[in-house]
Amino acid sequence: MPRAAMSAAERVLPDQTLIIDNGAYTMKAGFAVPSPSSEDCHTIPNCIARDRGRRVWIGAQLEKCNDFGEITFRRPVEKGFLVNWEVEKAIWDNTFIDNGAKLACDPQATNLLLTEAPNTPAALQRNCDEIVFEEYEFASYSRFLSPSLNAYNDIQSLYGVTHRDPSIHALPAECLLVIDSGFSHSTVTPLFNGRPIHQAIRRLDIGGKFLTNYLKELVSIRHYNMLDETYLINEVKESICYVSEDFKRDLERTWKGTSANRKKSRDGERDIVVDYVLPDYNAHKQGFMRPHDPSLIAKMRKMGSLSGSGDAVEDCMTLANERFTVPELLFSPGDLGMKQDGLPGTVLQSLSGLPPGLWPSMLANILVVGGNSKIEGFMTRLETEIRQLAPAECVVRIARASDPIKSPWLGGAHLAADHTALKAIQITRQEYQEHGSGWLGKVFSGSVPR
């Protein structure tokens, strides 16, 4: 019979703690420090890429790549879940183990705090635990849902309340509703004292990857064949897309019918139609957006691919309703026939899984994280629609994290900065060897006390 699991006081942990928020698009990683900030977190592409010259780039090496034309990616995370450890190990080795690694460490003298997506299958969790303790041999380890770590940040300051005492960083927010719209999907996770309420977690199968692929299809039909230009179209999406406050009107303004039927712009309304100048990787020129100029476009088409002086003419494409119809899918998935509610409806679905007594506290403490929250107009539209759906007697407060990409990592860093709190949540390699992966899974799920 194995002896009982050791208490927090009995655990002896190394001084160094590595926090990894293992996202599908980027991995946010760094070591715990007494007063963590965004500068302590490193954002590393979580992929292996191969360019058209057949050179392979692993993780952080991609920052040195200058030619993204037709570049292809292999990602270890699919649909939010870590499914390919062969690729992930190559990225981790390059980042943490190899000579000259960006965040070099000795796993046997390092604690690991790792994130995962909500509702990760048990088989994938067990595989992850075994890799951490048997392949890398980390000294201790804990696994958290990525949204839950946001509770350890200074949440109330986002709503204009006084900053909390730095000495209580290890205490989570009491009630928090986290909307995380990232690369693979979007989730709504209610937290109570930092713990996720699993039966109320809801997922929308639309994220940044879905939006990029949709824009890639639209551009390939209307302009150029961009099906092999995932990186470029993602850059275009981040540059030109916005969430419309009045989708029907914006659609009418970009309708290519007769001028008599086309809606005119009102004072103060944005110009929807823009030109995106495509990058020239050979000349190391980045792509950029500029106001649409029909006369300039017509002139360039007449000039052809070269000007009279032999200088290359800018290659650009004109984008109109693509700018707002693509991110609109986050609010209206039914536009593509998906039988799911948009993000505001998903929030109400999540609340329906909670006792009604928690609704006011959750609606008054909504935190938005993830890369899609940076799309222009996203927060305004989300807040407007949640207010329309929420009960009239409830106060709705919604805020975006100061750094929506690094927010979960920062929460984990605040937690890890308190060594006493860290000892209470970590499981040592010795405990794992005594009790096995089955016991570890029960500990992390909460069915067995730590």
Side-chain angles (χ1 to χ4, degrees):
M1 289 285 293
R3 68 180 181 87
M6 64 180 66
S7 66
E10 294 176 314
R11 294 188 180 112
V12 179
L13 304 182
D15 293 330
Q16 181 170 260
T17 301
L18 175 65
I19 303 105
I20 303 176
D21 180 20
N22 210 62
Y25 187 68
T26 58
M27 175 173 62
K28 282 68 68 178
F31 297 108
V33 294
S35 298
S37 66
S38 295
E39 287 71 30
D40 301 309
C41 176
H42 299 261
T43 303
I44 299 158
N46 199 11
C47 64
I48 294 178
R50 187 175 70 176
D51 61 23
R52 51 188 165 191
R54 305 189 70 81
R55 178 174 176 179
V56 175
W57 307 83
I58 301 174
Q61 295 176 355
L62 199 58
E63 298 168 0
K64 301 177 182 178
C65 180
N66 294 318
D67 184 0
F68 291 95
E70 299 180 9
I71 195 167
T72 57
F73 298 94
R74 285 188 68 194
R75 300 189 184 276
V77 179
E78 292 290 341
K79 298 184 178 179
F81 305 129
L82 179 48
V83 297
N84 190 334
W85 267 105
E86 179 186 2
V87 173
E88 193 64 84
K89 278 185 89 285
I91 299 168
W92 279 25
D93 289 350
N94 178 266
T95 307
F96 309 118
I97 307 298
D98 294 346
N99 291 331
K102 197 167 189 176
L103 293 167
C105 68
D106 176 9
Q108 295 184 1
T110 304
N111 311 305
L112 175 65
L113 199 159
L114 180 66
T115 66
E116 64 177 355
N119 300 320
T120 299
L124 297 180
Q125 292 176 327
R126 185 168 57 252
N127 190 33
C128 178
D129 298 340
E130 291 172 355
I131 293 287
V132 166
F133 273 135
E134 297 178 16
E135 293 279 342
Y136 285 100
E137 300 182 351
F138 277 96
S140 73
Y141 162 61
S142 58
R143 173 164 42 79
F144 280 84
L145 294 191
S146 180
S148 67
L149 290 179
N150 291 285
Y152 294 91
N153 288 319
D154 186 3
I155 301 299
Q156 293 306 313
S157 65
L158 299 174
Y159 306 113
V161 182
T162 306
H163 289 264
R164 70 178 178 185
D165 186 344
S167 64
I168 61 172
H169 271 162
L171 294 179
E174 184 176 4
C175 284
L176 189 64
L177 188 69
V178 180
I179 301 173
D180 185 352
S181 187
F183 181 71
S184 296
H185 58 270
S186 302
T187 58
V188 179
T189 307
L191 305 174
F192 186 74
N193 288 328
R195 295 180 177 272
I197 305 175
H198 288 279
Q199 72 270 18
I201 295 175
R202 297 294 183 269
R203 168 174 167 143
L204 172 63
D205 293 324
I206 294 180
K209 180 180 180 180
F210 192 102
L211 301 183
T212 299
N213 287 339
Y214 183 49
L215 179 58
K216 190 163 58 174
E217 291 179 8
L218 293 180
V219 169
S220 296
I221 292 171
R222 301 176 183 180
H223 301 283
Y224 305 101
N225 183 358
M226 293 287 188
L227 295 179
D228 294 328
E229 299 289 354
T230 301
Y231 179 88
L232 170 58
I233 294 300
N234 191 69
E235 294 286 302
V236 174
K237 179 194 73 178
E238 293 179 357
S239 298
I240 62 101
C241 282
Y242 72 93
V243 175
S244 173
E245 293 184 37
D246 189 341
F247 181 78
K248 183 178 178 181
R249 173 165 177 77
D250 281 354
L251 201 59
E252 290 174 343
R253 288 176 59 204
T254 57
W255 184 60
K256 295 182 179 179
T258 61
S259 58
N261 294 328
R262 193 178 304 139
K263 294 287 184 181
K264 303 297 183 183
S265 297
R266 299 169 181 157
D267 291 340
E269 282 189 323
R270 74 169 78 230
D271 291 327
I272 296 178
V273 182
V274 297
D275 296 331
Y276 188 86
V277 179
L278 299 176
D280 185 346
Y281 295 121
N282 294 325
H284 302 292
K285 292 183 178 179
Q286 299 297 317
F288 62 93
M289 179 183 74
R290 69 183 179 198
H292 177 58
D293 186 344
S295 61
L296 179 60
I297 297 297
K299 180 180 178 181
M300 290 174 62
R301 285 175 179 167
K302 288 181 181 179
M303 292 172 66
S305 59
L306 291 176
S307 66
S309 62
D311 296 328
V313 176
E314 292 174 336
D315 201 0
C316 69
M317 56 185 177
T318 302
L319 299 161
N321 62 22
E322 299 94 338
R323 296 185 64 196
F324 58 88
T325 55
V326 170
E328 180 68 20
L329 296 178
L330 289 166
F331 297 86
S332 304
D335 290 353
L336 284 184
M338 296 182 66
K339 295 182 179 179
Q340 285 187 287
D341 285 335
L343 269 178
T346 304
V347 169
L348 267 292
Q349 287 181 13
S350 176
L351 290 174
S352 68
L354 299 172
L358 282 178
W359 285 35
S361 297
M362 291 296 177
L363 285 169
N365 296 277
I366 301 176
L367 178 69
V368 184
V369 297
N372 295 326
S373 68
K374 300 172 74 173
I375 298 175
E376 182 184 354
F378 177 92
M379 291 299 298
T380 301
R381 173 78 173 274
L382 182 64
E383 181 173 1
T384 299
E385 296 199 3
I386 290 178
R387 288 184 184 277
Q388 292 172 350
L389 296 174
E393 65 274 14
C394 292
V395 174
V396 175
R397 293 191 310 174
I398 180 169
R400 180 173 57 198
S402 54
D403 191 332
I405 303 296
K406 297 180 179 180
S407 181
W409 184 91
L410 282 169
H414 285 134
L415 174 60
D418 187 320
H419 205 66
T420 302
L422 188 67
K423 289 173 70 173
I425 62 172
Q426 293 291 106
I427 299 299
T428 65
R429 187 163 180 264
Q430 178 186 348
E431 290 177 281
Y432 171 79
Q433 290 173 329
E434 290 182 0
H435 300 280
S437 59
W439 170 84
L440 186 63
K442 293 178 182 179
V443 170
F444 288 149
S445 67
S447 57
V448 172
R450 292 179 188 260

